[in-house]
Amino acid sequence: MSASREKNNSKCFTVSKMAVLKVKFTKSKRDKLAQVLWILNWVSVVTGIILLSLGLFLKVEIAKRRELLSDRQLQVVPDMLIAVGLIACIINLLGGKICHDCVDTAKYLRWKLLMLPYTICTFFFTFCILVGALMCYNMRGQLESSLLAGLNDAIRYYKDTDTPGRCFLKRTVDVLQMQFQCCGSVDFRDWFQIQWISNRYLDMSHKEIVQRLRSNVEGKYLVDAVPFSCCNPSSPRPCIQQQVTNSSAHFNYDYRREELNLWRRGCCQALMEYYSQILQSVGLTVLLIWLFELSVLTGVRYLQTAMDNVLRNGDPDSESDGWLLENSLAETARSNFNIIKNLGKCNRVDTTDDDPNIDIPSTSQEGPGNLPAKLIPATS
């Protein structure tokens, strides 16, 4: 009996020795940790609301320019932040209740079986927050290509004010260029490469217009002019939006040397600067929330292991050890792999115990020494 007890004590000592980041807790420290975590979980509910708000804000900002975006998958990031924010509120409300009950060992017994699944779910949820933060930073390339393609399409259909589905593009582009002080997709020269004036506003009796239409292979009316929304109202001279590259067409004007009174910046660059500031702010906020949630998860893990060890000791007022991992990282990974590997074996039926049709060798043929241990009849 004493040898078995020494063996068990030795085993417990080995497990405790291999534990990762082990900390010893007195009852007073456990109670304080539970109270602090109770407060932090309520703070985490607020951070969940912040995540939800950031997702909604980003979703609205992207939706404002949906006519100028070619990729509709950009809503994945805000949708993920909204979902994570809702889950954060639910998980942290439950975590606050659990931590509040951990002050009393009797109340903790109600949550004991739920603690490990709760900790694992919280870990994956915290990982999703980190993924959301990284996606905010990695979204820039996808957003830039979507804006470039969407702006090129919007400029191409600028003249189609009488076409269903495109009739509002002219107003959208004009408002965009005035609001963000930009012109064209990359720069103002983008307007030179497309016909942005509708044919119904062209005087076909004018010889120059007819010659320009015939000179183009596709029959388009291309001019070195830009819409009025490209004009800079702060310019000291009237806006030159017609014959921009013809220096002789205007008094005291040199296209190659004189600074134009048009917006020099392209709208793709202007929108990217705007969205980059938003994404960086959202990404940084989500990253800080992830660090906060990770610290709360660490505290919950310490509280869980410390309370489990108190139950093993059988004394609610005794000291107990808490740790992040009961074994080393390699041993934990190996153990979890074996658990997943053997999941299908738990439902197998032992036919030698339950099936009456199985022929069991008699003792007269093989003798007791040849039978499996569980089939040898008990002797009085």
Side-chain angles (χ1 to χ4, degrees):
M1 186 70 177
S2 61
S4 176
R5 183 177 299 173
E6 290 178 0
K7 183 178 179 180
N8 290 335
N9 291 339
S10 175
K11 183 179 179 181
C12 292
F13 175 78
T14 302
V15 171
S16 178
K17 186 176 179 180
M18 293 176 62
V20 178
L21 297 177
K22 183 179 65 175
V23 177
K24 187 174 289 296
F25 291 93
T26 61
K27 185 180 186 309
S28 175
K29 288 184 178 179
R30 286 195 305 270
D31 292 345
K32 288 181 180 179
L33 178 61
Q35 292 170 356
V36 170
L37 288 175
W38 174 68
I39 296 173
L40 291 180
N41 271 282
W42 278 104
V43 176
S44 296
V45 173
V46 178
T47 61
I49 296 174
I50 293 175
L51 281 174
L52 175 63
S53 302
L54 289 175
L56 290 173
F57 171 73
L58 189 58
K59 189 178 183 69
V60 170
E61 287 298 323
I62 293 177
K64 284 181 180 178
R65 317 293 173 195
R66 63 182 180 274
E67 295 177 344
L68 304 174
L69 296 170
S70 63
D71 190 355
R72 304 304 178 186
Q73 301 299 321
L74 293 172
Q75 294 287 358
V76 172
V77 176
D79 289 343
M80 181 180 180
L81 291 179
I82 292 172
V84 169
L86 289 173
I87 296 172
C89 295
I90 297 172
I91 286 183
N92 291 312
L93 282 172
L94 179 60
K97 175 61 177 175
I98 293 174
C99 293
H100 181 268
D101 290 347
C102 282
V103 178
D104 188 350
T105 308
K107 291 183 178 180
Y108 174 75
L109 286 173
R110 297 182 299 182
W111 302 104
K112 184 179 184 303
L113 295 178
L114 185 63
M115 279 300 291
L116 185 58
Y118 168 79
T119 305
I120 294 174
C121 290
T122 306
F123 171 78
F124 284 108
F125 153 73
T126 307
F127 179 74
C128 289
I129 297 179
L130 176 61
V131 172
L134 296 178
M135 288 178 68
C136 287
Y137 288 104
N138 292 333
M139 189 179 171
R140 178 182 172 85
Q142 182 185 5
L143 179 63
E144 186 172 9
S145 60
S146 178
L147 277 174
L148 191 59
L151 284 169
N152 287 334
D153 288 340
I155 291 174
R156 187 181 303 115
Y157 302 133
Y158 180 85
K159 69 178 185 302
D160 299 338
T161 53
D162 56 348
T163 304
R166 301 175 185 172
C167 52
F168 294 107
L169 274 178
K170 180 182 184 301
R171 179 182 181 277
T172 300
V173 173
D174 285 334
V175 171
L176 173 70
Q177 293 188 143
M178 290 186 291
Q179 180 180 357
F180 285 86
Q181 300 181 356
C182 59
C183 184
S185 178
V186 177
D187 58 24
F188 65 91
R189 295 178 183 85
D190 293 333
W191 293 104
F192 300 170
Q193 302 170 10
I194 58 138
Q195 179 180 342
W196 57 272
I197 303 175
S198 178
N199 285 335
R200 65 179 190 270
Y201 298 117
L202 298 178
D203 184 4
M204 294 303 176
S205 61
H206 199 284
K207 184 178 179 180
E208 182 181 350
I209 294 177
V210 174
Q211 289 179 349
R212 190 178 291 271
L213 288 172
R214 289 177 179 177
S215 63
N216 187 271
V217 177
E218 299 178 358
K220 294 182 178 180
Y221 181 72
L222 304 182
V223 290
D224 56 343
V226 296
F228 76 96
S229 54
C230 284
C231 293
N232 181 0
S234 301
S235 175
R237 68 178 297 165
C239 181
I240 298 177
Q241 63 179 106
Q242 303 289 337
Q243 301 185 34
V244 177
T245 59
N246 187 4
S247 299
S248 60
H250 310 282
F251 175 74
N252 195 18
Y253 174 74
D254 189 348
Y255 164 72
R256 292 169 297 180
R257 293 189 303 173
E258 187 171 345
E259 182 178 355
L260 299 178
N261 51 5
L262 305 176
W263 299 121
R264 311 286 293 192
R265 186 174 57 166
C267 290
C268 184
Q269 177 188 353
L271 284 174
M272 280 305 302
E273 291 176 359
Y274 174 73
Y275 279 116
S276 294
Q277 293 178 356
I278 294 177
L279 290 174
Q280 288 176 3
S281 301
V282 171
L284 179 60
T285 305
V286 175
L287 191 61
L288 292 176
I289 291 175
W290 171 73
L291 292 174
F292 177 77
E293 292 288 347
L294 188 63
S295 64
V296 175
L297 174 61
T298 303
V300 170
R301 175 61 176 168
Y302 273 117
L303 182 62
Q304 176 219 339
T305 52
M307 293 299 295
D308 286 345
N309 288 328
V310 167
L311 295 179
R312 292 192 188 100
N313 295 336
D315 184 5
D317 297 328
S318 64
E319 290 186 347
S320 62
D321 292 332
W323 51 69
L324 293 182
L325 293 175
E326 190 172 0
N327 299 312
S328 62
L329 289 172
E331 182 65 27
T332 302
R334 191 181 304 112
S335 174
N336 291 335
F337 177 76
N338 290 332
I339 291 173
I340 296 173
K341 182 179 176 182
N342 298 325
L343 279 177
K345 298 181 180 180
C346 61
N347 293 326
R348 291 186 179 179
V349 179
D350 194 344
T351 56
T352 58
D353 289 339
D354 299 331
D355 194 343
N357 298 319
I358 296 297
D359 293 332
I360 301 175
S362 63
T363 56
S364 61
Q365 293 176 346
E366 298 186 9
N370 296 327
L371 289 174
K374 64 179 180 178
L375 298 179
I376 297 177
T379 56
S380 58

